[in-house]
Amino acid sequence: MDTTTGKSSIARPSRRRGLLVLAVATALAAGLAPAAGAGPADRAGARIHHGQVELAVSGGTATIDPATLRIDARADDGQTLRMSDPAADTPGTPRNLAASGNGARWSYPDRGLDAEARVEHGRLLVTITADRDATLAWPVTGTDPAASALQLPRGEGLSLPVADPFWNSSRAQLVGSEEDMASQLSLPIWGYALGSGRGVSYLAPTDIGTSLAYASRGGRLSTTAKHSFSGGDGTRGYTVAFSLTDGSPVAPAVDYRHWLAEHGQLGSLSEKIRKNPETGRLLGAFHAYAWGGARTAAGIARLKALGVSRLWLGYDADEAPMKSEDAAAAKKAGYLVGPYDSFANGRAKGPDTPPNSVWPDGVYPSFCVRRADGTPQPGFHKQGCYLSSQAFEQAEPGRHYLADRTRSLVANGATSYFLDVDAAGELFRDHDPAHPMTMAQDRTNRLARMQRLADGSYDTHHAPLVLGSESAGAWANKVLAFDHGSGTPVDGRLWPMETGHFDSAPDQPKDDPAWGGYTPAAAADTFFKPVRVSDFKPEHRAAVADALKAMYDPAYRVPLYEAALHGSLVNVERWELPFGKLPEQKTTRALLAMLYNTPLNFVISDKDKRNERNLNELAALQKYFAPLHQAAGTKELTSYRRLTGDGTVQRTVFGDGTLTVTANFGTAAHDGLPGGCVDATLKGGKPQRLCPAKVVS
């Protein structure tokens, strides 16, 4: 389909054909139904003809050329699609090509590679294993002349017209870059729309060691996946799953949701609420970090008086955490409270050392991750070191460092917990012989310790915690109730904006202080000071404007993360980008939150000179959001459509029509909906309208 209109819905897979994404504009799924076993395509096996491997997939036939790894698909209607160009680096001469089970196998002995192609649930799966360390640049995608848009899971998600001048230029800083799939993309997927009603999705379940590189050829975006086969890193296997789709802007994410369900990897927020009823307080809640008196019972009473019915309230695990009476007041108000903590960093204790970087004797520096040269992996802001999850796991039977930390931080009655970094994708290989670890083991360790927090097994005397983490990769969706960060399609220029170092080195004075620093202590400018493009120095304004365009322009934004994981966990933007920080983006961000059924995040402090305005905005927006999220927060996103050619008017549906939301990001009215406004309709009810500009400034 043409993603400029995106007129498609997400439908239940067909039992007969196994299609994962159907071009049916009116059918809505009542719930995600995992594929019902092997379909005809799975049982058909491979046909080897003139050195080519042909396999029946959902919607057509895929043909692989083992000599180059080029893959073409012939759709059921006879149209030919290019799924991958030949590998960018030749795999070698194929040998021993033969049918095997429901697929085929062959090898590249010169490079120590073995290949297998098979079909599962209508997808083509190609797995390549190496007997030595090597790299492979493949698949090479987006080269079909019919390709019209690239779907990219940066944060919540983007759909980029392949010929868009901005994204093909240096202004977007995409072309020529490469992103790690495990740490920089929120989902291990990408995809292309191919003309009208067709597309291809790509899924790399072996995301560790895999990256995606971006190029512009003839003014059109193309991509190349790259995999590093490393014995030490545990990445000697590489799998890519290919699917034919209807070309919807969210088709790759829908395909991935089915993959997760088929492999028992899709979490359920409803089930998390059943196991821990406190999790239900997330439904309808905005998120906020509190400073100063906002952490107190009086601050909570002020929020309640303004009509804030639900709230997740976080605070630093510093020298002035929430007291027991404050946590009790929050619980009585219907709110969740939780400390911000991290298990990732260790430093020697000093006057400026953050409390969560201080550990009992024996942890720092002996638990530091060691690089190949034996030096410690530098920690946050190059201070101290990153701590090895393996070292903690090995110590756990005798020394409960993590449980002791958590127990002390929730002694005030907090029922939630925010664990920074653990669910983000920056994984480490530890070369310390005392606690060696691959990146895959690091991920396994993090999942295990997050699970202990979520189910309460970290301490038999404490209840389960409503757990959140930073920029959660999809691999963590089963253990988390919420995340802060995966709602933001981060542009690399955000860091210079935040740090003030556009052209200067980090250890030099800032060359642009517009964003603000860490004072005053009770309402630090870096979080509370509103910043506009014009606040930056003239020489930096173009870069800032382009970064914000890349992050927030609704013409490019699509809910990939929600299509994959809505109803599994609650997804929020980065916590250092609270709603008030970017006033020029307020209307767009509010509309996106309502359209995607995701909470906004705030920072609040009675020491903020804009506090009353901030609280009133929070209350007005949360009042509108609460009933929508309470009804649909546990439902899957079942339809996403662009109702206008320029993408300014968009519509989502959640569940079996539980909630329908239409947002108009433009300036002109569309079908009675004014520009800058959103209509939301609960099943059986009447449209409720919000025009953010009327309640925010």
Side-chain angles (χ1 to χ4, degrees):
M1 108 177 37
D2 183 347
T3 57
T4 60
T5 58
K7 293 183 178 178
S8 174
S9 294
I10 303 164
R12 189 183 299 274
S14 161
R15 178 182 293 268
R16 180 174 62 85
R17 297 182 62 203
L19 284 174
L20 297 165
V21 184
L22 301 178
V24 181
T26 56
L28 298 176
L32 176 68
D42 298 335
R43 296 191 296 267
R47 176 175 181 259
I48 299 174
H49 182 65
H50 296 306
Q52 310 285 293
V53 178
E54 297 179 359
L55 296 119
V57 297
S58 292
T61 301
T63 300
I64 306 170
D65 177 11
T68 64
L69 288 177
R70 186 192 75 244
I71 304 179
D72 291 312
R74 186 174 180 84
D76 287 339
D77 65 0
Q79 182 176 346
T80 299
L81 311 173
R82 176 59 53 90
M83 296 179 112
S84 174
D85 262 9
D89 47 353
T90 304
T93 303
R95 305 290 186 192
N96 307 314
L97 175 60
S100 174
N102 70 337
R105 293 178 180 270
W106 64 95
S107 63
Y108 303 100
D110 293 345
R111 294 194 57 186
L113 302 175
D114 289 311
E116 178 190 17
R118 64 191 187 281
V119 176
E120 291 182 2
H121 297 289
R123 298 183 195 87
L124 169 65
L125 269 66
V126 179
T127 297
I128 298 174
T129 55
D131 65 8
R132 66 198 71 168
D133 290 357
T135 59
L136 181 66
W138 175 87
V140 179
T141 56
T143 59
D144 191 308
S148 57
L150 163 65
Q151 290 90 44
L152 182 63
R154 273 188 178 178
E156 181 59 66
L158 301 169
S159 182
L160 312 178
V162 297
D164 187 89
F166 173 74
W167 287 98
N168 279 274
S169 73
S170 60
R171 290 176 55 199
Q173 293 194 356
L174 178 71
V175 172
S177 69
E178 187 171 335
E179 292 181 297
D180 181 74
M181 200 162 286
S183 64
Q184 293 175 290
L185 298 181
S186 58
L187 310 170
I189 63 170
W190 72 104
Y192 281 89
L194 301 175
S196 179
R198 298 201 177 279
V200 181
S201 74
Y202 304 89
L203 161 62
T206 50
D207 57 332
I208 299 175
T210 304
S211 61
L212 195 63
Y214 310 100
S216 178
R217 297 183 175 92
R220 294 168 57 82
L221 295 173
S222 62
T223 47
T224 300
K226 299 180 179 180
H227 186 78
S228 174
F229 299 94
S230 169
D233 290 341
T235 59
R236 288 280 181 84
Y238 176 41
T239 297
V240 180
F242 304 77
S243 293
L244 297 177
T245 73
D246 71 348
S248 158
V250 294
V254 177
D255 186 17
Y256 183 48
R257 185 181 183 97
H258 286 275
W259 170 280
L260 291 172
E262 292 157 8
H263 291 80
Q265 297 170 3
L266 181 64
S268 164
L269 191 57
S270 294
E271 182 65 12
K272 294 168 187 175
I273 293 171
R274 187 190 68 78
K275 291 181 177 179
N276 179 9
E278 284 290 303
T279 304
R281 294 175 184 249
L282 287 174
L283 297 177
F286 277 3
H287 293 230
Y289 279 92
W291 271 260
R295 300 181 179 188
T296 66
I300 290 162
R302 175 63 180 144
L303 289 163
K304 199 67 179 176
L306 287 170
V308 178
S309 61
R310 295 284 180 96
L311 189 69
W312 181 91
L313 196 62
Y315 55 91
D316 277 347
D318 55 18
E319 295 82 1
M322 289 190 76
K323 298 177 181 179
S324 297
E325 56 266 32
D326 302 326
K331 186 170 184 177
K332 184 178 179 180
Y335 303 167
L336 280 168
V337 296
Y340 170 100
D341 194 18
S342 174
F343 295 164
N345 212 51
R347 289 171 59 179
K349 187 174 183 179
D352 298 323
T353 305
N356 57 25
S357 293
V358 178
W359 295 87
D361 291 343
V363 172
Y364 178 81
S366 62
F367 280 26
C368 290
V369 170
R370 297 281 169 177
R371 297 180 290 194
D373 63 3
T375 59
Q377 179 71 44
F380 300 147
H381 299 297
K382 307 300 180 184
Q383 300 293 315
C385 72
Y386 278 102
L387 298 174
S388 170
S389 64
Q390 183 65 21
F392 279 117
E393 289 298 302
Q394 290 178 189
E396 185 62 22
R399 296 294 304 272
H400 307 302
Y401 294 113
L402 304 183
D404 290 346
R405 164 75 72 83
T406 301
R407 187 185 303 112
S408 69
L409 293 181
V410 299
N412 63 354
T415 56
S416 186
Y417 209 79
F418 184 83
L419 188 60
D420 193 32
V421 179
D422 258 36
E426 189 175 15
L427 305 169
F428 295 104
R429 179 179 175 186
D430 189 354
H431 293 265
D432 192 318
H435 37 78
M437 175 180 70
T438 65
M439 288 187 286
Q441 185 62 47
D442 191 12
R443 179 180 284 182
T444 298
N445 293 339
R446 295 182 191 212
L447 284 170
R449 68 194 193 186
M450 287 190 287
Q451 182 63 52
R452 293 195 293 266
L453 296 175
D455 64 20
S457 61
Y458 74 95
D459 185 338
T460 56
H461 300 292
H462 283 80
L465 294 169
V466 181
L467 183 64
S469 190
E470 179 192 1
S471 300
W475 52 270
N477 84 88
K478 291 189 72 175
V479 301
L480 295 179
F482 66 97
D483 90 274
H484 293 165
S486 287
T488 308
V490 171
D491 181 274
R493 287 161 292 195
L494 179 61
W495 317 128
M497 290 161 59
E498 292 184 358
T499 64
H501 295 287
F502 283 84
D503 306 304
S504 62
D507 59 350
Q508 298 297 312
K510 294 181 179 181
D511 58 29
D512 198 328
W515 195 268
Y518 287 87
T519 58
D525 279 352
T526 189
F527 304 116
F528 287 86
K529 176 190 173 187
V531 63
R532 296 168 172 81
V533 174
S534 60
D535 294 328
F536 291 87
K537 291 183 176 180
E539 60 268 31
H540 301 142
R541 290 173 189 167
V544 172
D546 285 342
L548 295 174
K549 177 182 178 70
M551 292 169 62
Y552 291 114
D553 191 330
Y556 306 124
R557 289 288 300 266
V558 291
L560 293 178
Y561 200 88
E562 301 317 308
L565 295 175
H566 197 276
S568 174
L569 77 168
V570 175
N571 185 30
V572 187
E573 280 213 71
R574 295 185 64 85
W575 78 284
E576 84 274 21
L577 290 174
F579 184 67
K581 186 65 186 179
L582 302 169
E584 293 166 321
Q585 280 70 41
K586 277 186 174 180
T587 292
T588 293
R589 294 175 76 187
L591 294 179
L592 286 169
M594 304 309 159
L595 182 68
Y596 296 169
N597 198 230
T598 55
L600 290 166
N601 68 325
F602 285 74
V603 289
I604 54 178
S605 171
D606 59 338
K607 305 303 182 184
D608 175 21
K609 61 185 178 182
R610 305 168 188 83
N611 188 49
E612 283 304 304
R613 181 192 308 170
N614 190 33
L615 294 182
N616 280 300
E617 290 181 5
L618 187 160
L621 294 170
Q622 192 269 338
K623 181 180 180 180
Y624 181 83
F625 175 77
L628 311 181
H629 196 240
Q630 287 177 278
T634 60
K635 308 297 184 182
E636 67 175 303
L637 189 158
T638 47
S639 176
Y640 170 75
R641 300 176 63 191
R642 291 180 169 184
L643 304 183
T644 58
D646 60 3
T648 56
V649 184
Q650 304 179 23
R651 177 173 293 161
T652 52
V653 179
F654 297 87
D656 187 16
T658 300
L659 172 66
T660 300
V661 185
T662 306
N664 186 346
F665 296 95
T667 56
H670 175 84
D671 198 20
L673 178 62
C677 298
V678 58
D679 276 351
T681 306
L682 292 170
K683 194 171 187 177
K686 296 180 179 180
Q688 301 296 314
R689 180 163 295 172
L690 172 70
C691 298
K694 294 182 178 180
V695 297
V696 305
S697 59

